[in-house]
Amino acid sequence: FVDSVFHCGERPRPCHTLMTEPPARSAVCTSCNHELNETRWVQVVVPGCEHTFHLSCALEFLRGARRNGQLVPVPAPSCAACREFLQSTTNGLAMLEKEASEAFHRQYPTDIELGRASEIKSGRPAMIFNAVPSCILQFRGLRCIDISGHPLTCLPPEISLLSSLSRFVLISALIKEVPEEMCTLVRLEQMIISGCPLRHLPADIHKLVRLWDFYFDGNQLEVFPEKLPPRVNGIKVSGNLLQSFPEAIGQYLEVKNFRAYANHLTHLPESVTGLNLLVEMSLQGNRLSRMPETMGQLRNLQYLSLHDNLLERLPDSLADCIELRWLYLYNNRLTHLPGLMLDRLPRLERLLIEANPLAAECVADLLAEVPSNVRVLGVDAKQVEARPRGEPLPACVSSGWLLPWGRLYAKLSPASQLKRKQGVEPVEGATPNYGGDVLVVAFAASQAE
């Protein structure tokens, strides 16, 4: 998953021999005597002696150099500190050469990926890191770091030395906090931290003025920051412990994706409907009992997932979201829907409304004339039972029974209901009438995607 979704990464390193204020270094590479410019080439500073190399030059000591089309060995540097740093297989360049992914093996590498998923490709167990290797923080000009899958308990404050970092990925670690020093990485554009026991984010996270990808799914966040980076265009905080969002959430007008499913949310601030560019809102699996009355202001909204909540009614303005394509409402407490909702949503393709105690008149209105743009209208067999008898239903109506399995449930639909042909009646009734053997075809899918 890490390799396929998060293509770039690197790794930080703890601060053993690191100097916060290193002495002045040469402006040329110790190996090739050419200019050092971390905006163009990654460079590495050897701790202790402070000799500085282009990363590509330092790697030639391990890989050899190509001369006239031939790969020739490069003699080790005379400096003992340089040799130790370059040749160390536990906390040096040789370790990175062995453990980092293919991104590190390019001619001019800018990324370090140390995610444990790389062992799937390498066919051998990866080295396990309980702390960020200190050698990483000797790099200057790095663009991306990924150190996922390791039991790291903290990030060192010296990570602030990686001032060129634009992408940081950390998945499935043991960190509980992000150091404030990380908020000084003003070139950071993507911060992806997921699957960690992370309880809170730094108060100064809004100082990451270039950050646009705000990804903190699957942690244990209890409080959402009061202020966000000004350029954020996606809020992804699903699978946390959040109970609310601050009113200021509505001022981040570039947000297009708002994913906060599987939290403990009981309400949303009205200001959220000021996110005019919002395309996706995924809020399933919360404790929401109502939605903002001004939902209709979200004129660009295309995908709205509100299933598995406690909603008893929907605002009438929801039917003003004229770009809406997918609307998932199943497993709530709805008895009515906004008037003429299907007619007012000209681009709606999928509506799933199962497991709601819809009133008989609401079911009749919903199924009376389904517009041709609706491709799937999911209802349960109990709801179908409430419709007037004998009225044919279009093939887009998918009927079945919702079967609860503890905290999980599934919809049991006969094959004849998946794309019903003319003359095939929809199944109805509170419980299935099996009448013989039943073949159950089960699969897992994320309906929020």
Side-chain angles (χ1 to χ4, degrees):
F1 173 74
V2 175
D3 276 351
S4 61
V5 178
F6 305 118
H7 54 274
C8 106
E10 313 191 9
R11 53 152 63 268
R13 57 99 199 181
C15 50
H16 295 283
T17 58
L18 187 67
M19 300 176 65
T20 305
E21 296 293 338
R25 296 190 296 271
S26 172
V28 296
C29 173
T30 302
S31 177
C32 69
N33 285 324
H34 286 116
E35 173 194 14
L36 289 168
N37 185 344
E38 65 182 62
T39 64
R40 298 180 62 187
W41 310 289
V42 177
Q43 58 198 48
V44 59
V45 182
V46 178
C49 66
E50 297 299 319
H51 288 148
T52 306
F53 298 84
H54 293 119
L55 176 56
S56 56
C57 291
L59 288 171
E60 287 184 346
F61 290 110
L62 303 176
R63 303 173 180 172
R66 191 161 294 279
R67 303 284 187 264
N68 299 320
Q70 300 293 321
L71 193 65
V72 297
V74 176
S78 58
C79 173
C82 290
R83 289 198 305 272
E84 180 181 359
F85 179 80
L86 297 174
Q87 297 172 0
S88 174
T89 58
T90 57
N91 192 19
L93 202 61
M95 179 272 290
L96 295 177
E97 174 76 353
K98 178 182 178 182
E99 298 296 329
S101 73
E102 62 271 13
F104 193 71
H105 295 84
R106 299 168 184 160
Q107 184 176 5
Y108 301 107
T110 61
D111 310 329
I112 298 179
E113 297 173 343
L114 288 172
R116 286 186 62 189
S118 62
E119 64 187 16
I120 298 175
K121 292 184 177 180
S122 66
R124 60 171 179 78
M127 180 182 292
I128 306 301
F129 300 105
N130 296 302
V132 178
S134 60
C135 62
I136 299 296
L137 297 183
Q138 299 298 144
F139 286 75
R140 302 293 178 265
L142 282 178
R143 303 295 187 266
C144 191
I145 289 179
D146 183 343
I147 190 168
S148 298
H150 296 277
L152 306 180
T153 57
C154 67
L155 297 174
E158 291 81 7
I159 200 168
S160 62
L161 294 172
L162 302 177
S163 57
S164 297
L165 209 60
S166 63
R167 179 180 171 96
F168 179 81
V169 180
L170 182 63
I171 301 173
S172 298
L174 301 177
I175 67 165
K176 295 182 178 180
E177 62 181 5
V178 175
E180 289 285 347
E181 289 81 0
M182 200 156 186
C183 298
T184 65
L185 301 176
V186 295
R187 291 186 176 87
L188 201 61
E189 298 180 9
Q190 295 178 276
M191 185 183 295
I192 300 169
I193 300 180
S194 179
C196 302
L198 186 65
R199 294 294 180 139
H200 65 274
L201 297 175
D204 288 340
I205 197 168
H206 63 278
K207 294 182 179 179
L208 298 174
V209 294
R210 296 189 183 182
L211 191 74
W212 56 265
D213 195 1
F214 188 89
Y215 191 109
F216 292 93
D217 277 5
N219 296 297
Q220 297 180 18
L221 295 177
E222 298 176 331
V223 179
F224 193 80
E226 287 291 330
K227 298 176 67 176
L228 292 179
R231 298 175 65 177
V232 65
N233 70 8
I235 297 174
K236 302 162 188 175
V237 289
S238 299
N240 283 284
L241 305 174
L242 299 173
Q243 298 184 34
S244 63
F245 286 99
E247 191 68 33
I249 196 74
Q251 71 185 31
Y252 301 98
L253 301 182
E254 295 187 27
V255 171
K256 296 180 180 179
N257 304 94
F258 188 89
R259 301 178 186 174
Y261 54 86
N263 276 280
H264 297 168
L265 299 173
T266 58
H267 67 281
L268 289 179
E270 288 287 335
S271 65
V272 76
T273 62
L275 302 175
N276 297 324
L277 298 182
L278 202 63
V279 173
E280 175 199 353
M281 178 180 279
S282 298
L283 296 170
Q284 65 267 32
N286 280 287
R287 302 170 183 175
L288 297 170
S289 59
R290 64 179 183 86
M291 294 296 291
E293 292 297 325
T294 53
M295 284 290 292
Q297 294 181 11
L298 299 173
R299 294 302 181 94
N300 291 299
L301 189 63
Q302 297 182 25
Y303 307 99
L304 178 58
S305 299
L306 298 174
H307 50 281
D308 298 307
N309 274 288
L310 306 174
L311 296 171
E312 298 181 357
R313 61 175 294 273
L314 296 173
D316 186 69
S317 70
L318 179 62
D320 295 329
C321 299
I322 58 175
E323 294 294 328
L324 203 58
R325 286 164 168 75
W326 291 13
L327 178 57
Y328 291 172
L329 299 171
Y330 57 88
N331 200 31
N332 276 286
R333 300 176 179 179
L334 299 171
T335 57
H336 292 84
L337 299 175
L340 301 175
M341 185 178 74
L342 293 186
D343 294 326
R344 294 162 63 190
L345 296 173
R347 292 178 174 79
L348 189 67
E349 299 175 359
R350 300 172 64 89
L351 171 62
L352 304 185
I353 194 72
E354 300 95 334
N356 281 283
L358 297 177
E361 63 272 19
C362 179
V363 174
D365 291 342
L366 183 66
L367 302 180
E369 291 188 21
V370 182
S372 60
N373 53 280
V374 177
R375 298 170 56 192
V376 178
L377 175 53
V379 296
D380 62 48
K382 187 175 183 181
Q383 293 167 342
V384 172
E385 192 176 35
R387 92 190 199 286
R389 295 279 180 175
E391 291 189 3
L393 296 180
C396 68
V397 177
S398 173
S399 179
W401 296 273
L402 254 67
L403 307 179
W405 297 334
R407 294 180 61 188
L408 304 175
Y409 55 87
K411 183 178 179 180
L412 179 64
S413 292
S416 63
Q417 301 295 308
L418 298 181
K419 195 67 174 177
R420 225 176 39 261
K421 298 180 179 179
Q422 186 174 1
V424 178
E425 290 296 314
V427 296
E428 56 185 73
T431 57
N433 181 15
Y434 295 105
D437 294 337
V438 175
L439 171 64
V440 178
V441 179
F443 60 92
S446 172
Q447 294 189 345
E449 298 293 331

